[in-house]
Amino acid sequence: DMQMTQSPSSLSASVGDRVTITCRASHDIINSLSWYQQKPGKAPKVLVYAASRLESGVPSRFSGSGSGTVYTLTISSLQPEDFATYYCQQYYSAPLSFGQGTKLEIK
Amino acid sequence: QVQLQESGPGLVKASETLSLTCTVSGGSFRSHYWTWIRQPPGKTLEWIGYIYYTGITELNPSLESRVTMSVDTSKNQFSLKLSSVTAADTAVYYCARPLGYCSGGNCPFDYWGQGSLVTVSS
């Protein structure tokens, strides 16, 4: 099975900061990587798919990059509504799998 | 507008069978691989598996021996049964639809149900 290692597990930042979250796959997943934002009590919301494609309606301050086994999600200028938990997901091979999550908190 | 809605008991006794149904409205039911994902409290998401309208399934090997999925195209519904539940199966269960650009079931997901918390009691 594909293992997804996400870091950091938590992150404190301020409004306006630039933050980066990293996800490492145990094998090459050939850009089959998506990022989700989840707020308490809500279903996840897809932000990025195919490693770098922004889902329709997602603000341009979110961006994804990477290749092979290492991928990143960057938020260029944090807004108050961005404080949430973020997950990566690989869909290169079944069973599909998610990272452990990064909780982004207000400093 | 595509909507997914989970339904089923919120409390199941240990060793019994968990049963959930997802009702889909909007969009084309026969075009997607309908998926179940769960999330134990405070933990990450776990992919359970998917079912196509023809009945084809792919299941997570870690749960495969206990999972049954079915589909009812006349009602635009698909269902999950998980047998012999334990406290470790306590979770919010989501049904989800893959992103439209993606063919097959190995996909990211753009439409999710609101989630159904199922608690396993001893």
Side-chain angles (χ1 to χ4, degrees), chain A residues 34 36 38 41-44 46 49-50 55 87 89 91-96 98-101, chain B residues 37 39 43-47 58 60-61 94 99 101-102 105-110 112-114:
Chain A
S34 57
Y36 296 86
Q38 186 178 34
K42 300 294 187 182
V46 65
Y49 62 95
E55 171 68 341
Y87 295 94
Q89 177 220 341
Y91 50 95
Y92 176 72
S93 65
L96 310 189
F98 294 83
Q100 292 304 304
Chain B
I37 293 165
Q39 185 173 34
K43 296 187 178 180
T44 189
L45 300 143
E46 180 180 27
W47 178 79
E58 179 149 16
N60 193 323
Y94 294 101
L99 270 173
Y101 90 99
C102 187
N106 290 8
C107 296
F109 305 99
D110 59 351
W112 296 66
Q114 85 284 359

Side-chain angles (χ1 to χ4, degrees), chain B residues 25-60:
Chain B
S25 57
S28 173
F29 187 78
R30 297 183 178 222
S31 299
H32 302 283
Y33 289 72
W34 301 99
T35 300
W36 290 99
I37 293 165
R38 71 179 183 177
Q39 185 173 34
K43 296 187 178 180
T44 189
L45 300 143
E46 180 180 27
W47 178 79
I48 299 171
Y50 63 68
I51 185 165
Y52 195 48
Y53 81 96
T54 57
I56 292 172
T57 61
E58 179 149 16
L59 305 176
N60 193 323

Side-chain angles (χ1 to χ4, degrees), chain A:
Chain A
D1 295 359
M2 191 75 66
Q3 304 303 315
M4 304 302 292
T5 303
Q6 191 174 334
S7 62
S9 56
S10 63
L11 179 57
S12 293
S14 301
V15 172
D17 283 354
R18 177 184 180 93
V19 300
T20 297
I21 300 168
T22 300
C23 197
R24 288 179 168 81
S26 55
H27 305 283
D28 189 346
I29 56 173
I30 312 180
N31 293 349
S32 300
L33 190 285
S34 57
W35 290 97
Y36 296 86
Q37 177 192 70
Q38 186 178 34
K39 295 184 177 179
K42 300 294 187 182
K45 172 189 173 184
V46 65
L47 302 173
V48 170
Y49 62 95
S52 61
R53 296 186 181 184
L54 205 62
E55 171 68 341
S56 175
V58 174
S60 59
R61 63 182 180 271
F62 291 91
S63 64
S65 64
S67 63
T69 62
V70 183
Y71 299 86
T72 60
L73 173 71
T74 298
I75 310 172
S76 60
S77 179
L78 276 172
Q79 298 302 300
E81 61 268 29
D82 299 337
F83 292 93
T85 301
Y86 293 84
Y87 295 94
C88 61
Q89 177 220 341
Q90 69 82 18
Y91 50 95
Y92 176 72
S93 65
L96 310 189
S97 51
F98 294 83
Q100 292 304 304
T102 296
K103 186 173 184 179
L104 181 51
E105 299 175 306
I106 302 174
K107 185 182 287 183

